[in-house]
Amino acid sequence: MTLSTETSQLAIVTGASSGIGKATAQRLAADGFHVLAGVRKQSDADKIACVNIEPVILDVTDQTHIDNLVARVASDPKKRPLRTLVNNAGVAVNAPIEVLTLDDWRYQFDVSVFGQIALTRALLPALLASKGRIINITSVGGRVAMANFGAYSAAKFAMEAVSDSLRREVEEFGVTVVKVTPGAVSTNLTDSGLATAARITATMTPDQHTRYDELTKAFIAQAEGFARDGVTPEHAAGVISRAVTARKPKTRYTIGTDAALVNRMARIATDRFLDGTLRRQNRKLAKSAR
């Protein structure tokens, strides 16, 4: 679709400063939407602003930011309806459950669950009025919970449940809820996740190091593999664009062959089969990191 300064519908993308969010904002702008791109810093807003992309300062854990965005949608100067909300903002807090503090858990859930719910609730009246679409970016971690991913997977499993419940509540009123499940994607979330993991593991006791150092090596090797071999954010944005624009969207889209495989395994594999498979994978990854 040819980019035009004349758009008839609004789209909101959270977490748009980099990675999947930024690529999605750019893709939806090219599709002809006027995109309200949620970023947390003015410097990021300055970088992403362009034709059909209007940056908005948005921390999904800040109710004032949410209220400001709702007011922006309601007072759109061209009276454009809100067509879609892409809930992409999130963080990755990865460490063994024994090591994570309750503050770590609260941070993961505040951003990746409660913030998503707060924003969705606030914008639902506008989406109901337009019979719009909600796209929740989940993860393979919300289908299979790997060791060292307890908090992150718990948040993503929660958003799986929220998405299913919301879809069954509002579909009859014309609002469509779609889950988009990425596998390995090369994004800045990998770097921030590694930095967070390093901060947390630095607090481990000697006994905890004995128990979990091999697991930490495996996690680092896996994260580096994601950054090296994962699909591009632009590829992910193309899948999200299909979820936004399809006349009859599926309830779930996967991004990457690994996500499709994990999605199938989650449906058919036993817990013990997955335990063994993931344990062998971690041993292999830890060995490769030495």
Side-chain angles (χ1 to χ4, degrees):
M1 181 178 293
T2 302
L3 187 67
S4 169
T5 57
E6 294 300 321
T7 58
S8 60
Q9 298 178 98
L10 299 176
I12 294 172
V13 180
T14 68
S17 61
S18 63
I20 292 175
K22 181 178 181 180
T24 299
Q26 293 169 336
R27 176 59 183 264
L28 294 183
D31 288 343
F33 291 93
H34 183 80
V35 180
L36 303 177
V39 298
R40 295 183 66 188
K41 298 184 294 185
Q42 187 59 47
S43 58
D44 292 327
D46 295 339
K47 291 175 184 176
I48 199 173
C50 64
V51 174
N52 285 356
I53 297 182
E54 176 188 337
V56 293
I57 300 300
L58 177 64
D59 178 341
V60 296
T61 68
D62 188 319
Q63 187 60 47
T64 299
H65 290 184
I66 291 174
D67 292 342
N68 290 342
L69 180 56
V70 171
R72 166 62 187 85
V73 170
S75 62
D76 185 69
K78 297 184 180 180
K79 301 188 183 301
R80 291 168 291 201
L82 177 60
R83 168 63 177 169
T84 190
L85 166 63
V86 180
N87 279 315
N88 170 72
V91 295
V93 178
N94 298 111
I97 289 173
E98 180 185 356
V99 179
L100 290 170
T101 67
L102 287 181
D103 283 342
D104 293 326
W105 282 89
R106 290 187 182 103
Y107 175 58
Q108 177 72 74
F109 272 72
D110 281 346
V111 178
S112 300
V113 181
F114 303 137
Q116 315 298 324
I117 293 170
L119 184 62
T120 300
R121 289 181 68 246
L123 291 168
L124 198 53
L127 290 161
L128 285 163
S130 68
K131 299 187 185 301
R133 194 164 295 183
I134 298 167
I135 312 297
N136 287 333
I137 309 303
T138 60
S139 168
V140 293
R143 301 293 283 158
V144 174
M146 296 179 288
N148 216 69
F149 284 77
Y152 178 80
S153 284
K156 291 301 185 180
F157 267 82
M159 285 309 298
E160 287 278 331
V162 168
S163 299
D164 286 343
S165 290
L166 184 62
R167 185 182 67 251
R168 291 159 186 161
E169 291 166 0
V170 300
E171 192 167 42
E172 66 178 297
F173 306 117
V175 175
T176 304
V177 179
V178 180
K179 293 173 285 189
V180 175
T181 305
V185 181
S186 181
T187 71
N188 288 347
L189 186 61
T190 299
D191 294 335
S192 62
L194 283 170
T196 301
R199 173 185 62 78
I200 295 170
T201 55
T203 69
M204 290 196 304
T205 66
D207 284 346
Q208 289 171 341
H209 276 291
T210 299
R211 283 192 285 275
Y212 302 123
D213 275 356
E214 289 295 294
L215 181 59
T216 300
K217 290 178 182 178
F219 167 72
I220 292 171
Q222 183 183 56
E224 291 173 343
F226 285 177
R228 181 181 63 249
D229 304 323
V231 301
T232 65
E234 290 72 24
H235 175 87
V239 177
I240 295 168
S241 173
R242 290 199 298 275
V244 169
T245 60
R247 189 171 65 86
K248 292 184 177 180
K250 297 183 289 186
T251 59
R252 183 192 304 275
Y253 292 80
T254 56
I255 298 174
T257 55
D258 57 334
L261 176 61
V262 171
N263 193 49
R264 287 195 294 270
M265 288 180 64
R267 293 198 300 265
I268 63 175
T270 66
D271 289 341
R272 291 301 185 192
F273 176 82
L274 288 172
D275 289 350
T277 299
L278 294 172
R279 188 178 299 113
R280 289 189 293 273
Q281 175 183 288
N282 280 335
R283 287 172 179 165
K284 183 178 179 180
L285 286 167
K287 186 176 180 180
S288 73
R290 290 172 182 158

